[in-house]
Structures are given as structure tokens and as C-alpha cells.
Amino acid sequence: MAGSETLAPGGRTRNLVLATAASVAGFWAWNSVATLGSFYTQNLQLNPAATGVLVAMPVFVGSLGRIVVGALTDKYGGRAMFTFVLLASILPILLVSVGGLLNSFALVLGAGLLLGVAGTVFAVGIPFVSGWYEPSRRGFATGVFGAGMGGTALAAFLNPRLVAAIGYFPTHLLIAGVLAVMAVLVWFLMKESPGWTHSNAPVLPKLLDATRTAVTWKMCFLYAVVFGGFVSFATYLPTYLRDVYSFDPSGAGARTAGFALAAVLARPVGGVLADKLGPKPVVITSLAAVAVLAWVVNLQPDGEVPAGLTFVAMAAALGLGTGGVFAWVGVLAPPGKVGTISGVVSAAGGLGGYFPPLVMGATYDAATHSYSIGLLLLVATALAALAFTLFAVQGRAGAPAVPPRLAGPSR
């Protein structure tokens, strides 16, 4: 539906807050399997490789689903698609809980695939909040919305404690209830930006058109590195901390929550800096820091403070990069293609987070408790992305201007 509000601060602030809250709920559900990885490893008697496959399944489907959901957001609007994604995530989260109760690896794996729908919430929010803000402030808007990935921090901190306090099945009932309440709030309180109208263009041609746009693939690669790095750490860090530093599930969950929170706080900072300085220097700084810090993580710094500060700095670098890349999408994406391109780019980011847990599980050296191969691959990838950013992607200068009246994701 087309909103009747002007771009007044109150209207757009309310919609930005609602979108961010919906994202928090979606990310909480999306990361529920990963944050209970130790529970499944013990109860289902899984080896590290099998655990890696299990925690990566929601990421895989959520990533691919973003491509379609981004295009459908152009067609049906953020209000309808937020509501759909939140409601569609309820059954999978309940099926995951049943699979855990039955100690069925197949059921948890299959339900985890369906739970990937929760991860598509990101592809709804980027075009939605972009429509509420003028181009010069889209880095801020997408950065704040991107902080909704703090749902991963919420999941990492709360889920192990909730399971210990109220039980495994009630924990999942609570998450399902949060999804339902958030869907109701979105449906009744959210509005589309005043300039938004339904797009009647068929979805498939829009997707094909987006894949023929050079900026799509450039941003896909960069986002696969920075957001993929965040997702892979957020999903696999509890297992990593257990194997390398011998933390129990609650201790590993609390530290993973701190990691996710650092990335969440850094993301809007990256967006604001991209508005002021241009996205390119922000992304360059992020990738350089990721390469250095991945090398330090590989050295397994000893002691709570050195190790903790290293992981927090890594999270902040990744969060800064995610804010910078999506601010870049808002600058470089042609008018009317923001939703579709955002969906493809965010899918690439999710897929970037799908493969590292599989690699980490497959290359783990149990004798030395080492994940060196996976971490060194991250160093090499970050350096390659850094070189690509320096020499193959244009900065803000020369980017097509987007008039304020075309601020909506679709025409």
C-alpha cells in the first residue's frame, strides 16, 4: 500500500524502528540452530563436520531466498513482505524444536532448511528503509536497519540460557511467539514510503536485469566477504570457542553475543562514515583490518583479554564493512532496481557465510585444536577483496545521482 505520510522525521523514524525490530526477530530465529550447536553436537552425537553442515543449513536457504524476496519487495512492498517472512518462520522454528526433542538429525536439518526464510528479512528491509530516506542519508538508514542483525547476538546470549532455565521446547515456543507478535505490529503500524507504488514487472526479468548490471556483481563479491565473514563467525564461533578455548555453551554464547553486538554497533557507523567520506575508504579500511585480525586469530592469542579484544575488533571491522558496502549499493544501484539488486547482493553475503563453517568443520585439526587452514583462507580472501576494491570499484564520484522523488525501491 502506498503511504500517505510525507518524509517527516517522525514517520520515517517509526518505520525504520519497526523494520529494525522485525529484522532482530528474524535474525534471532535464523540463528537459533547455530547458537545451540553444542546441544545438537552432544544430543545427536555429531562430529565437527556434521555440526558445520547443520548450522549452515538456515544460512544457505536464507541466502538464496533473499534473491526472490528482494524482487518481491519491489512488487508487494515492505509491509506485506515483512509480515510474510515473520509468519512463515514460525512453523520451521517449531519443527526444529520437535527434531531436537526426537533427537532426529534429519528433521533438524530439514527444518533448518525451511528456517532459512527468516534470513530473507534483510532483503525486505534494505529497499524499504531506502525508500524513506533521501540518497545522502541512505547509508545511515541502511546502517541502522542492518543493526537488526543484532538478533544474532540476542540468540547467542539468550538461547543457551533459556534452554537451561525454561527448557529446549519452551525456548522455541518463545521465539515463535516473538515472531507472531512482531508480524502483527508490522501489519498494523508499518507504512510504505510516500513515493512507493506497486511494481507490476515480472520478477524473473527483473532478476535477470539485475544480474546484467556490473555494480551487482562487484557488490556481491565485497558483501560476500564482509557479511559472509560476520555470519560465519556468528554461526560457528560457539563451536570454535568450545574446541579451541574449552568454553561451555553459556560461556561461548555470551562471547558470541559480544562479537555480534560489536558488529551491530559498527554497522551504522560504517553507513554514516560512508555518507560523509564515501563508501570506498570505509570498505578499504574494513578489509585491511579483517586480513590482519584473521591472522591474529589464527595465532590463538592466549588469555581472556587478548583473545576477546581480537574477536571484538574483528567483529567491528566486519560490521564497518557491511555498512559501507550497502551504502555503496544505495549510491551505485540504478533507480527502481534497489530492491532487486539488494536481494542479490544480500544473498551473496549470506552465501559467503554458508561455506566457511563447512570449511572450518572439515579442516579442524583435533590433535592441535587448530582451525588454521580456514582462518588463513579468510586472510587470503580479505586481501583479494582489498585489491579488488582498490583497483576495480569506483568511489562515490561519478555514481548516478538519484533524485529524492525516486527514493523508493520501485517505480
Side-chain angles (χ1 to χ4, degrees):
M1 59 180 279
S4 60
E5 300 184 34
T6 63
L7 287 177
R12 64 185 182 184
T13 299
R14 184 182 72 250
N15 284 281
L16 178 59
V17 169
L18 283 168
T20 305
S23 181
V24 169
F27 270 86
W28 183 2
W30 194 39
N31 209 42
S32 60
V33 174
T35 53
L36 296 176
S38 296
F39 173 90
Y40 296 118
T41 299
Q42 179 179 351
N43 287 5
L44 305 181
Q45 299 180 343
L46 305 178
N47 58 37
T51 300
V53 172
L54 191 69
V55 302
M57 280 302 103
V59 176
F60 178 71
V61 174
S63 304
L64 293 179
R66 289 178 179 188
I67 300 174
V68 176
V69 168
L72 290 176
T73 301
D74 281 348
K75 186 175 181 66
Y76 296 109
R79 173 175 171 263
M81 292 306 298
F82 269 127
T83 305
F84 168 78
V85 168
L86 292 167
L87 292 178
S89 303
I90 294 174
L91 179 59
I93 198 72
L94 295 177
L95 289 176
V96 165
S97 67
V98 172
L101 287 175
L102 299 177
N103 291 330
S104 171
F105 175 79
L107 183 54
V108 176
L109 185 68
L113 283 169
L114 297 176
L115 188 57
V117 69
T120 66
V121 69
F122 190 80
V124 180
I126 290 296
F128 175 80
V129 301
S130 292
W132 274 102
Y133 285 80
E134 59 273 14
S136 63
R137 298 202 66 205
R138 282 194 195 144
F140 162 79
T142 58
V144 171
F145 169 74
M149 66 188 190
T152 59
L154 200 64
F157 183 79
L158 288 180
N159 287 2
R161 286 167 171 76
L162 287 171
V163 169
I166 65 176
Y168 174 79
F169 185 69
T171 296
H172 290 78
L173 284 179
L174 175 62
I175 298 172
V178 170
L179 292 169
V181 170
M182 198 64 236
V184 171
L185 292 175
V186 164
W187 183 255
F188 287 104
L189 299 179
M190 184 174 279
K191 295 183 182 296
E192 303 295 340
S193 64
W196 182 83
T197 56
H198 289 281
S199 170
N200 294 318
V203 171
L204 184 58
K206 287 174 67 71
L207 290 173
L208 293 175
D209 183 53
T211 62
R212 290 192 289 266
T213 305
V215 64
T216 302
W217 296 109
K218 292 178 180 180
M219 296 300 105
C220 277
F221 173 55
L222 296 180
Y223 202 63
V225 176
V226 291
F227 186 73
F230 165 76
V231 170
S232 58
F233 269 104
T235 56
Y236 205 77
L237 195 54
T239 301
Y240 180 94
L241 293 175
R242 180 199 67 196
D243 292 339
V244 176
Y245 292 100
S246 301
F247 282 112
D248 61 25
S250 293
R255 287 157 180 82
T256 302
F259 175 91
L261 182 62
V264 166
L265 295 175
R267 180 161 188 152
V269 174
V272 171
L273 290 176
D275 285 342
K276 295 182 179 298
L277 306 175
K280 188 167 187 173
V282 174
V283 176
I284 288 172
T285 301
S286 165
L287 292 170
V290 168
V292 171
L293 291 165
W295 172 257
V296 175
V297 171
N298 167 66
L299 299 178
Q300 295 185 11
D302 193 19
E304 180 82 12
V305 174
L309 290 177
T310 301
F311 280 109
V312 168
M314 169 70 81
L318 291 168
L320 196 73
T322 58
V325 170
F326 252 103
W328 223 343
V329 172
V331 171
L332 298 180
K337 299 181 182 180
V338 177
T340 306
I341 292 178
S342 295
V344 176
V345 173
S346 60
L351 287 174
Y354 169 72
F355 293 103
L358 302 181
V359 174
M360 296 288 272
T363 60
Y364 173 60
D365 187 342
T368 60
H369 301 286
S370 173
Y371 284 96
S372 288
I373 294 176
L375 290 167
L376 291 176
L377 286 173
L378 175 58
V379 173
T381 303
L383 289 174
L386 176 60
F388 180 80
T389 304
L390 284 168
F391 301 111
V393 189
Q394 69 178 20
R396 181 163 54 187
V402 184
R405 68 182 183 86
L406 294 180
S410 174
R411 290 294 174 273

